[in-house]
């Protein structure tokens, strides 16, 4: 009877340990966020830095996460010189991300669906310029890294500069509402 009780306690301890959530801090210096913004006449691309973040696992299954992005680090990579300086400054201005008053953006995972093979469907809250909206995307976890591609509608965050949905007669000066993010997280 004593042996059966020991086995039951060991099994309970194993189940408890295997279902306990583990938070894995993301290495911000090794992680990357690339962006692309498109307009009628072309596109611009660049990078932005992750300030901090964490993924939460139960066993090997992703169950949550949260991230803070340093909006002041927005950097255009397809231009140089004065053109780059002008676009970087404009993206940081109130026409776009207003980084003086909103130096960070945040993403908090709210719900995850395991699609198998390390792929998860994610529903999250994204906060930009103090406005929070739901976003959905897929994230793929492999080893100590994760990748995700997101499309974000900037107009949901009151970023309407040269949006064809808010201004008429823009012609070829219109900027598309969605921008794309390609994220690689290392933890």
């Amino acid at each position: 009877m004593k042996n059966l009780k020991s086995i039951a306690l060991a099994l309970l301890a194993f189940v408890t340990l295997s279902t306990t959530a583990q938070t894995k801090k993301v290495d911000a210096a090794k992680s990357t966020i690339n962006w692309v913004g498109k307009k009628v006449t072309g596109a611009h691309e660049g990078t932005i830095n992750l300030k901090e973040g964490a993924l939460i696992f139960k066993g090997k299954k992703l169950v949550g996460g949260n991230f803070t992005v340093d909006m002041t680090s927005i950097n255009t990579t397809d231009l140089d010189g004065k053109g780059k300086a002008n676009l970087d400054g404009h993206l940081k201005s109130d026409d776009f991300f207003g980084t003086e008053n909103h130096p960070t953006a945040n993403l908090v995972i709210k719900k995850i669906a395991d699609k198998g093979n390390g792929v998860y469907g994610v529903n999250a809250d994204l906060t930009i310029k103090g406005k929070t909206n739901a976003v959905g995307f897929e994230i793929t976890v492999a080893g100590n890294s994760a990748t995700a591609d997101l499309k974000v509608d900037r107009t949901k965050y009151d970023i309407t500069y040269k949006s064809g949905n808010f201004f008429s007669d823009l012609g070829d000066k219109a900027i598309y509402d969605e921008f794309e993010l390609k994220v690689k997280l290392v933890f």
Side-chain angles (χ1 to χ4, degrees), residues 83-154:
K84 173 186 170 29
N86 287 343
L87 183 54
D88 286 352
H90 197 198
L91 290 172
K92 291 176 185 177
S93 78
D94 288 338
D95 281 346
F96 286 94
F97 296 102
T99 62
E100 186 174 321
N101 294 319
H102 306 282
T104 61
N106 298 292
L107 184 130
V108 177
I109 295 175
K110 294 297 191 179
K111 185 177 174 186
I112 293 185
D114 187 347
K115 294 185 167 192
N117 297 322
V119 178
Y120 299 87
V122 173
N123 291 320
D125 283 346
L126 177 62
T127 303
I128 299 174
K129 288 182 80 171
K131 305 269 186 240
T132 302
N133 289 285
V135 294
F137 57 93
E138 285 187 353
I139 188 168
T140 302
V141 178
N144 289 330
S145 68
T147 56
D149 293 334
L150 293 79
K151 288 188 177 186
V152 178
D153 181 347
R154 66 188 175 96

Side-chain angles (χ1 to χ4, degrees), residues 167-178:
F167 300 96
S168 59
D169 300 327
L170 289 173
D172 66 359
K173 304 264 190 243
I175 300 171
Y176 296 127
D177 292 343
E178 285 189 333

Side-chain angles (χ1 to χ4, degrees), residues 3 33 36 39 48 57 67 79 112 122 124 156 175 177 185:
N3 201 16
I33 304 172
V36 175
K39 55 186 179 175
I48 192 160
F57 292 86
F67 308 92
L79 297 173
I112 293 185
V122 173
K156 291 182 177 181
I175 300 171
D177 292 343
L185 304 171

